Amino acid sequence: MPKPAATRIANLQQSPIRAMTQACERVNGINLGQGLGDLPPPAPVREGAIRAIEQNISTYTPSQGLPELRRAIARKLSRDNQIEADPDTRIVVTNGATGAFASTLLALLNPGDGVLLPEPYYGYHLNTILLSGNEPQFVPLPLPSLELREQDLVAAIKPNTRAIVLCTPGNPSGKMLTRADIECVERVANAHDLLVITDEIYEYLTYDGNAHISPASIGSLGERTVTISGFSKSFSITGWRLGFAVAPEAMARSINLVNDLYYVCAPAPLQQAMASALDAPDNGLAGLGKEYQWRRDLICDGLESAGMTPLVPQGAYYVLADVSGFGYANATEAAYALLEKTGVAAIPGSAFFSSDDGERYLRFCYAKDRATLDKAVSQLQGFRRG
């Protein structure tokens, strides 16, 4: 009789994010755990999709994406990221940023290659690294500053290290890489011949005047960097699964080969919708940081008043809050106690750390409307009283 599972998934588990979402649904709670924005997509995005479906744009597209979408992405990269990329040779449209990340690992790394992963990390990055047969090599960032230090990167390098993953703005921390951080990565990557893989899915969600910097735009990093981003978060279309990878031509060709074999192509009508929405003046991207900053301030003030000290994020729409003062044995116990006492779901910090540091934190997502956030903040106060 066949075995029930392959050995490659023997050490993988369901994401704590999925598990907490299911627990929250069972009690009809407020889900501040999973990164599910409940804001509506901008009108150009919605209308573009409807128009594409009505025009029967429903067949396979080229595996690397519709030419008009790749051209729109190239214009966006030049305008917003200071990256010049030939849309015909350097851009691959993917099934979400996760599809871009998986295709990049499989296309450019060999089994057993080491991948530096600054910590706290996004859990899907870790599990995709494991599933692809690579070795995660953790680089703990000092808390609470989350400073990226050259000596820490160098200390984590092993003989098999071949790549580093950067997430900016970061999930779960909201940390944004500065030019000095990126120049530090450039020195290390050049010295050790490392591939640099960036996840910039939250690039338009930045606060307090912080400017997003794409690592591929700095120095010589463009020659060794795969830039990954997408539209799920900025346009509130997480279920559409549209992302992209930008890389030097030979790398992009390899990534597209895997993308074709695994996914064939991203959804055709949604690609068409995004091609028109990216250039639309009313697509909402320009005001996105302002739209989310008041949400960040609201949740951080609420967490502080409930006795949970937040690590105030510079970007993205998550916040880590220190709950170590409540006396729970670990972050999972604290998260389920929070759900039981207040009806608000958060993710255990242990989902984002290899070290015990994660047991101090819960992660909250604040991509919610005002009424939901107000209600959540009010209910969180019951945790202190409990």
Side-chain angles (χ1 to χ4, degrees), residues 116-118 125 148 153 164-168 177 181-182 185 196-200 215 221 225 228:
L116 296 179
L117 198 58
H125 287 161
L148 188 66
L153 291 176
I164 179 171
V165 173
L166 303 175
C167 188
T168 181
L177 296 182
D181 291 331
I182 296 168
V185 171
V196 178
I197 306 170
T198 72
D199 183 336
E200 303 175 38
L221 275 178
T225 297
I228 293 173

Side-chain angles (χ1 to χ4, degrees), residues 3 15 35 59 78 110 136 192 199 203 251 275 280 295 343 368:
K3 294 182 179 180
S15 164
T59 60
S78 178
N110 292 314
H192 297 273
D199 183 336
E203 59 181 299
M251 292 184 189
R295 291 177 167 84
K368 304 295 177 182

Side-chain angles (χ1 to χ4, degrees), residues 132-149:
S132 64
N134 298 121
E135 178 190 331
Q137 297 169 342
F138 302 105
V139 186
L141 304 182
L143 293 163
S145 70
L146 299 172
E147 179 186 0
L148 188 66
R149 301 183 299 198

Side-chain angles (χ1 to χ4, degrees), residues 118-122 141-147 167-177 202 207 296 300 310-321 352-353 361-364 366:
E119 178 181 311
Y121 49 77
Y122 176 44
L141 304 182
L143 293 163
S145 70
L146 299 172
E147 179 186 0
C167 188
T168 181
N171 177 7
S173 66
K175 174 184 169 56
M176 294 177 61
L177 296 182
Y202 299 99
Y207 315 124
R296 180 205 65 174
C300 286
L311 300 183
V312 179
Q314 301 167 319
Y317 52 47
Y318 306 100
V319 56
L320 288 171
F352 312 104
F353 290 80
Y361 294 99
L362 298 181
R363 189 199 74 173
F364 296 83
Y366 49 89

Side-chain angles (χ1 to χ4, degrees), residues 66-304:
L66 285 173
E68 52 265 49
L69 176 54
R70 284 182 276 122
R71 288 194 293 267
I73 291 171
R75 290 191 293 270
K76 164 254 183 306
L77 290 167
S78 178
R79 180 180 65 241
D80 298 343
N81 304 87
Q82 289 70 58
I83 295 173
E84 302 300 326
D86 184 338
D88 294 326
T89 61
R90 293 190 52 204
I91 296 173
V92 181
V93 177
T94 60
N95 282 56
T98 52
F101 186 65
S103 296
T104 296
L105 294 180
L106 290 168
L108 303 183
L109 297 176
N110 292 314
D113 284 349
V115 181
L116 296 179
L117 198 58
E119 178 181 311
Y121 49 77
Y122 176 44
Y124 273 74
H125 287 161
L126 171 61
N127 283 325
T128 306
I129 289 168
L130 292 170
L131 190 60
S132 64
N134 298 121
E135 178 190 331
Q137 297 169 342
F138 302 105
V139 186
L141 304 182
L143 293 163
S145 70
L146 299 172
E147 179 186 0
L148 188 66
R149 301 183 299 198
E150 187 167 349
Q151 64 267 31
D152 294 335
L153 291 176
V154 173
I157 291 175
K158 299 180 180 180
N160 67 330
T161 304
R162 296 292 178 268
I164 179 171
V165 173
L166 303 175
C167 188
T168 181
N171 177 7
S173 66
K175 174 184 169 56
M176 294 177 61
L177 296 182
T178 65
R179 178 174 289 270
D181 291 331
I182 296 168
E183 289 172 346
C184 158
V185 171
E186 180 187 20
R187 290 191 295 272
V188 174
N190 286 341
H192 297 273
D193 195 22
L194 301 181
L195 172 70
V196 178
I197 306 170
T198 72
D199 183 336
E200 303 175 38
I201 192 72
Y202 299 99
E203 59 181 299
Y204 293 103
L205 288 130
T206 64
Y207 315 124
D208 304 319
N210 291 303
H212 171 70
I213 303 174
S214 289
S217 70
I218 300 299
S220 62
L221 275 178
E223 301 169 3
R224 60 174 66 251
T225 297
V226 178
T227 301
I228 293 173
S229 193
F231 314 108
S232 294
K233 311 299 183 179
S234 50
F235 289 130
S236 297
I237 50 171
T238 54
W240 287 26
R241 313 313 306 135
L242 280 177
F244 60 87
V246 186
E249 183 174 346
M251 292 184 189
R253 189 163 52 246
S254 298
I255 292 168
N256 183 48
L257 175 61
V258 175
N259 180 59
D260 184 13
L261 293 174
Y262 267 57
Y263 305 106
V264 181
C265 66
L270 307 185
Q271 288 192 55
Q272 184 66 54
M274 198 52 56
S276 58
L278 265 181
D279 289 325
D282 57 343
N283 61 19
L285 292 180
L288 206 58
K290 183 178 180 181
E291 180 65 25
Y292 276 89
Q293 183 162 331
W294 66 259
R295 291 177 167 84
R296 180 205 65 174
D297 295 342
L298 178 62
I299 190 67
C300 286
D301 289 346
L303 290 166
E304 190 77 57

